[in-house]
């Protein structure tokens, strides 16, 4: 479980790099190896639990038999009444199954709560738009990059980029300079469609990046 948690943490911490280099399938295969090991451990635990349950049933049956024998001897010797003895046995048998189930309740609840917290955190994440294999643009011929009146905000009403315009010719080298938090990294993230612009257009070679297949777009970008 620890290895799986560490692997997930590494993946989520570096999700932008993984997407940038189209390594999703590789990371999925790495996670699958750990999940398979995890599954084998759970199967072993289930086997042990299934083997332990009959043993507990046998021990419980022996305990009931001993109580019946001891109580029967007392009833025969007149040390207790047969009615009291039968009532005790009936109460014991009725209470046995609920008490056995109750002993497992806390462990089951804790497992369920721990699993549900992680599961719902994942389910609440908005999915990235899937790569559309039917999109026509699968090859880029020109690499001019143009940002046209691009606005973007991580939070509603708090723009990081306000109508920026950038025109980079193919082969040209430029530098984005500015203080921390002004949007330099955001520009690169938008270029890779790690986020979608709030408004405006980003084009490569005159083609809007939304019309370029996502894996093709990211394979042509490195940093």
């Amino acid at each position: 479980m620890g290895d799986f948690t560490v692997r997930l943490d590494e993946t989520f911490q570096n999700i932008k790099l993984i997407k940038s280099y189209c390594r999703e399938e590789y990371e999925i295969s790495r996670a699958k190896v750990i999940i398979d090991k995890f599954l084998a451990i759970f199967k072993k635990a289930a086997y042990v639990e299934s083997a332990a349950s009959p043993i507990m049933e046998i021990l419980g049956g022996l305990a009931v038999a001993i109580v019946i024998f001891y109580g029967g001897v007392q009833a025969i010797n007149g040390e207790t009444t047969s009615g009291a003895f039968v009532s005790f046995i009936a109460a014991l048998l009725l209470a046995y199954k609920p008490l056995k189930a109750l002993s497992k309740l806390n462990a089951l609840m804790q497992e369920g709560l721990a699993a549900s917290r992680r599961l719902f955190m994942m389910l609440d994440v908005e999915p990235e738009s899937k790569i559309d294999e039917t999109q026509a643009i699968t090859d880029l011929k020109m690499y001019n990059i143009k940002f046209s009146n691009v606005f973007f905000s991580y939070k509603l009403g708090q723009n990081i980029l306000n109508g920026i315009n950038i025109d980079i010719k193919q082969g040209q080298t430029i530098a984005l300079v500015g203080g921390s938090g002004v949007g330099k990294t955001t520009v690169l993230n938008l270029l890779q469609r790690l986020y979608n612009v709030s408004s405006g257009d980003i084009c490569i070679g005159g083609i809007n990046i939304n019309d370029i297949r996502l894996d093709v777009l990211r394979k042509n970008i490195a940093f």
Side-chain angles (χ1 to χ4, degrees):
M1 185 63 182
D3 290 341
F4 185 60
T5 303
V6 170
R7 181 61 51 80
L8 284 180
D9 183 66
E10 290 176 352
T11 301
F12 292 147
Q13 290 292 333
N14 298 283
I15 191 66
K16 293 179 181 178
L17 288 176
I18 292 169
K19 290 183 176 181
S20 297
Y21 289 95
C22 300
R23 302 294 287 173
E24 291 95 333
E25 293 298 326
Y26 173 72
E27 292 299 328
I28 289 172
S29 66
R30 292 176 69 195
K32 188 176 183 299
V33 171
I34 298 179
I35 291 172
D36 289 340
K37 291 181 180 178
F38 208 41
L39 179 60
I41 292 172
F42 266 100
K43 285 182 177 179
K44 185 177 180 180
Y47 175 79
V48 172
E49 184 177 354
S50 64
S53 183
I55 294 174
M56 294 303 297
E57 293 288 348
I58 292 171
L59 293 176
L62 288 174
V64 171
I66 292 171
V67 170
I68 292 174
F69 175 78
Y70 179 74
V73 171
Q74 284 193 323
I76 292 172
N77 294 333
E79 297 177 7
T80 185
T81 64
S82 58
F85 171 68
V86 172
S87 298
F88 176 78
I89 293 299
L92 179 64
L93 293 176
L94 289 172
Y96 174 73
K97 189 173 182 179
L99 288 174
K100 183 180 177 182
L102 189 62
S103 66
K104 298 181 179 180
L105 181 61
N106 183 60
L108 292 173
M109 287 183 62
Q110 293 303 319
E111 290 178 5
L113 288 173
S116 65
R117 280 195 294 267
R118 293 190 292 268
L119 177 61
F120 287 122
M121 285 176 62
M122 297 292 295
L123 292 176
D124 289 339
V125 175
E126 290 292 332
E128 179 184 59
S129 57
K130 294 183 178 179
I131 296 173
D132 186 355
E133 299 294 339
T134 65
Q135 286 183 333
I137 308 302
T138 58
D139 188 24
L140 296 175
K141 303 297 184 183
M142 300 293 292
Y143 295 93
N144 299 333
I145 299 173
K146 187 173 184 179
F147 284 66
S148 301
N149 199 33
V150 172
F151 287 81
F152 176 76
S153 63
Y154 291 103
K155 295 182 179 180
L156 186 63
Q158 300 180 15
N159 284 344
I160 300 296
L161 303 178
N162 291 282
I164 68 166
N165 294 280
I166 305 174
D167 192 357
I168 308 170
K169 304 301 182 184
Q170 182 170 329
Q172 183 181 6
T173 301
I174 70 164
L176 298 177
V177 181
S180 177
V182 299
K184 302 184 299 297
T185 303
T186 300
V187 169
L188 296 177
N189 290 339
L190 292 176
L191 185 62
Q192 300 174 84
R193 283 178 58 193
L194 296 176
Y195 301 98
N196 293 319
V197 299
S198 300
S199 63
D201 297 299
I202 303 175
C203 297
I204 298 178
I207 303 169
N208 193 299
I209 60 172
N210 292 319
D211 297 327
I212 303 171
R213 208 171 71 182
L214 193 55
D215 60 336
V216 173
L217 172 68
R218 290 175 178 171
K219 284 179 180 178
N220 281 278
I221 298 173
F223 63 91

